[in-house]
């Protein structure tokens, strides 16, 4: 089946994939380290592809947000962009005559919505080269008096004002937390948000369910057992450890969907993004389980009426898709039986933009008894 044609794994090395998936800017040191490798390798240096006037594929590899492709993908995600637009335009009381901070402004789209809704002033901070485009876009649309684009990292820039009334940001990564931009929002909140100010969105939650996925597991995992007659099963282990970012059909869902964790962006600390939570998934039919699937919801609770969106398999697809965690075992489950377990999520110690996931699961069922621990890395 081709339902996942073009599905992109999180790990990627080339421009095409780097622009198609939301990879955060790598640190300068990392960039320097690998750039040197590129320069020292005659082959790689010679083959560097020229993309823009002064950009090479290496530049985009380290800073995928500088390329318009990723912004195009986000802007065309109507669930995402329309949700923000509706929140802003239908709740102008939150913005009218307010000082707004747009954390990670990209093309400046959220700043433009806020300016249009009557904000007194909007500070749009963007660290990638896209900041230059955002400035042009703001000018071209006649908002240069209201929106100030600041090029730089939130953690390094100075704001011309001591406090802001509203912080708006679209910081969510795959599996909600991949790329770890949430910390940047919390940093901005603690430094600049006035007492009684609002953070938008202010709630985010992570959810879990279980799916039947024989066909695709075969294609992505078992594939390595026999590749043109050769045993490449050593790669299987690695493939199992990488969560797959892809869309799941609602018909594949075997159990209920469970809320794992809710985060209150207006109150939480960075440490709250590391957690261990239990789960109980109750089978809604007799079936096999090949994978657990995680997804997130965000909400804006400060609106007239609660607003938000879900990236779950029963909702309209977004560019975040869902995150599929394949299980070592094929679990045979009967209606009413419960797959219990726990999930531990934490940023990787070496590279905090990556996420380490530990999964415990067990079933003591009619047809199947299983208990196992698996580790995954999103990178
Ligand atoms: N607000 C835009 C872009 C969202 S993507 C939109 O909704 O379309 C997140 C953006 O945040 C990217 O453009 C990225 O370059 C920027 N960003 C990430 N970390 C940042 C940081 N620490 N400081 C400034 N910008 C950051």
């Amino acid at each position: 089946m081709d339902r996942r044609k073009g599905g992109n794994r999180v790990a990627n090395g080339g421009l095409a994939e780097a622009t198609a998936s939301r990879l955060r800017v790598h640190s300068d040191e990392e960039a320097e380290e690998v750039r040197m490798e590129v320069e020292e390798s005659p082959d790689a240096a010679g083959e560097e592809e020229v993309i823009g006037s002064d950009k090479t594929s290496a530049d985009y590899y380290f800073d995928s947000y500088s390329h318009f492709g990723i912004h195009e993908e986000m802007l065309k995600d109507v669930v995402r962009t329309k949700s923000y637009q509706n929140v802003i335009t239908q709740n102008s009381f939150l913005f009218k005559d307010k000082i707004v901070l747009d954390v990670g402004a990209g093309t400046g789209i959220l700043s433009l919505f806020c300016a249009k809704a009557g904000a007194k002033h909007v500070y749009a901070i963007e660290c990638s080269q896209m900041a230059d485009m955002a400035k042009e876009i703001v000018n071209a649309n006649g908002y240069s008096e209201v929106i100030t684009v600041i090029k730089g990292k939130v953690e390094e820039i100075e704001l011309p004002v001591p406090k802001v009334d509203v912080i708006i940001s679209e910081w969510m990564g795959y599996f909600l937390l991949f790329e770890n931009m949430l910390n940047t929002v919390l940093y901005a909140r603690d430094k600049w948000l006035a007492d009684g100010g609002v953070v938008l969105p202010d709630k985010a939650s992570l959810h879990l369910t279980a799916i039947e996925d024989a066909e695709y597991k075969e294609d992505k995992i078992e594939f390595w057992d026999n590749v043109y007659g050769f045993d490449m099963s050593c790669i299987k282990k690695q493939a199992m450890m990488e969560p797959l970012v892809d869309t799941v059909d609602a018909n594949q869902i075997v159990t209920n969907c469970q809320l794992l964790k809710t985060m209150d962006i207006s109150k939480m600390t960075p440490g709250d993004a590391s957690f261990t939570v239990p789960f109980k998934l109750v089978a809604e039919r007799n079936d096999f389980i090949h994978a657990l699937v995680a997804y997130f919801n965000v909400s804006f609770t400060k609106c007239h009426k609660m607003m938000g969106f879900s990236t779950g398999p029963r909702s309209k697809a977004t560019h975040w898709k869902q995150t599929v965690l394949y299980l070592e075992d094929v679990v045979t489950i009967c209606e009413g039986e419960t797959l219990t377990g726990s999930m531990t999520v934490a940023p990787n110690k070496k590279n905090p933009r990556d996420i380490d996931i530990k999964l415990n699961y067990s079933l003591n069922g009619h047809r199947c008894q299983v208990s196992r621990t698996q580790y995954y890395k999103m990178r």
Side-chain angles (χ1 to χ4, degrees):
M1 254 174 69
D2 66 352
R3 92 186 139 73
R4 291 189 185 178
K5 230 182 204 166
N8 39 316
R9 279 188 166 268
V10 174
N12 57 52
L15 170 68
E17 287 199 321
T19 54
S21 60
R22 299 193 51 179
L23 276 185
R24 190 83 34 207
V25 182
H26 289 234
S27 73
D28 296 341
E29 302 91 86
E30 271 172 273
E32 204 42 53
E33 212 177 284
V34 189
R35 200 167 272 148
M36 277 168 63
E37 272 172 35
V38 169
E39 276 164 13
E40 273 162 26
S41 150
D43 289 355
E47 282 169 18
E48 256 188 40
E49 184 192 348
V50 176
I51 294 160
S53 50
D54 54 354
K55 293 253 174 321
T56 68
S57 54
D59 290 306
Y60 289 122
Y61 179 85
F62 298 118
D63 181 5
S64 57
Y65 283 110
S66 290
H67 190 271
F68 64 84
I70 196 163
H71 296 279
E72 179 179 355
E73 186 191 23
M74 291 189 291
L75 293 168
K76 285 182 175 169
D77 180 339
V78 288
V79 172
R80 183 200 86 109
T81 312
K82 266 268 164 209
S83 294
Y84 276 84
Q85 184 181 34
N86 289 341
V87 163
I88 298 166
T89 56
Q90 293 168 21
N91 295 277
S92 53
F93 77 97
L94 290 171
F95 302 91
K96 189 104 187 61
D97 301 324
K98 298 284 166 63
I99 307 283
V100 179
L101 182 62
D102 180 357
V103 172
T107 54
I109 184 71
L110 305 184
S111 295
L112 291 162
F113 290 151
C114 294
K116 209 170 169 185
K120 186 172 166 192
H121 205 90
V122 186
Y123 295 97
I125 313 179
E126 172 57 44
C127 63
S128 76
Q129 303 300 328
M130 195 49 62
D132 300 330
M133 290 291 117
K135 280 179 198 168
E136 266 191 66
I137 291 166
V138 165
N139 284 339
N141 289 278
Y143 283 106
S144 50
E145 297 292 303
V146 186
I147 302 173
T148 305
V149 178
I150 302 172
K151 187 177 182 178
K153 285 200 172 135
V154 167
E155 294 82 354
E156 292 165 7
I157 58 110
E158 296 211 5
L159 258 197
V161 289
K163 293 287 165 194
V164 301
D165 305 304
V166 179
I167 289 179
I168 193 155
S169 184
E170 196 283 85
W171 52 268
M172 296 81 73
Y174 295 131
F175 190 69
L176 185 62
L177 297 167
F178 183 57
E179 305 181 45
N180 207 2
M181 192 180 157
L182 175 57
N183 274 357
T184 299
V185 175
L186 302 182
Y187 174 94
R189 178 199 69 188
D190 292 345
K191 190 163 179 184
W192 293 302
L193 191 64
D195 287 345
V198 296
V199 184
L200 300 166
D202 59 336
K203 293 269 161 64
S205 55
L206 197 62
H207 302 250
L208 192 69
T209 189
I211 58 163
E212 185 287 324
D213 205 22
E215 214 171 332
Y216 207 67
K217 191 184 178 202
E218 178 75 33
D219 183 44
K220 299 300 290 185
I221 309 289
E222 267 62 73
F223 163 77
W224 296 106
D225 285 336
N226 179 348
V227 182
Y228 294 88
F230 299 104
D231 176 355
M232 297 195 182
S233 57
C234 55
I235 294 181
K236 221 164 118 171
K237 248 198 200 134
Q238 289 178 20
M240 282 291 294
M241 281 193 78
E242 276 186 31
L244 184 77
V245 172
D246 221 328
T247 47
V248 166
D249 195 295
N251 295 327
Q252 295 176 263
I253 299 174
V254 176
T255 65
N256 61 320
C257 297
Q258 199 195 308
L259 169 68
L260 285 181
K261 172 91 179 165
T262 301
M263 292 180 199
D264 182 342
I265 316 305
S266 66
K267 293 199 186 94
M268 70 180 289
T269 63
D272 297 334
S274 303
F275 52 84
T276 298
V277 283
F279 61 81
K280 277 187 179 164
L281 297 173
V282 184
E284 289 171 347
R285 63 187 192 213
N286 298 337
D287 211 334
F288 301 108
I289 293 173
H290 299 92
L292 299 190
V293 172
Y295 61 91
F296 65 88
N297 297 350
V298 292
S299 36
F300 301 78
T301 71
K302 297 291 186 289
C303 298
H304 282 306
K305 61 173 193 347
M306 237 249 266
M307 297 175 88
F309 62 90
S310 172
T311 66
R314 288 201 173 93
S315 302
K316 194 171 172 207
T318 71
H319 78 285
W320 287 288
K321 305 177 181 176
Q322 288 91 36
T323 302
V324 181
L325 307 163
Y326 282 112
L327 305 180
E328 295 271 355
D329 313 274
V330 176
V331 177
T332 310
I333 198 162
C334 303
E335 188 177 342
E337 290 180 351
T338 306
L339 184 75
T340 57
S342 68
M343 185 182 266
T344 302
V345 177
N348 182 270
K349 292 209 169 65
K350 266 204 204 136
N351 183 351
R353 273 173 291 273
D354 296 352
I355 300 179
D356 294 337
I357 303 167
K358 178 181 168 188
L359 185 69
N360 282 317
Y361 60 90
S362 54
L363 171 67
N364 192 2
H366 211 65
R367 296 271 184 91
C368 175
Q369 291 85 41
V370 65
S371 183
R372 196 186 282 277
T373 302
Q374 281 184 240
Y375 295 87
Y376 303 87
K377 264 183 201 304
M378 288 203 73
R379 60 187 148 191

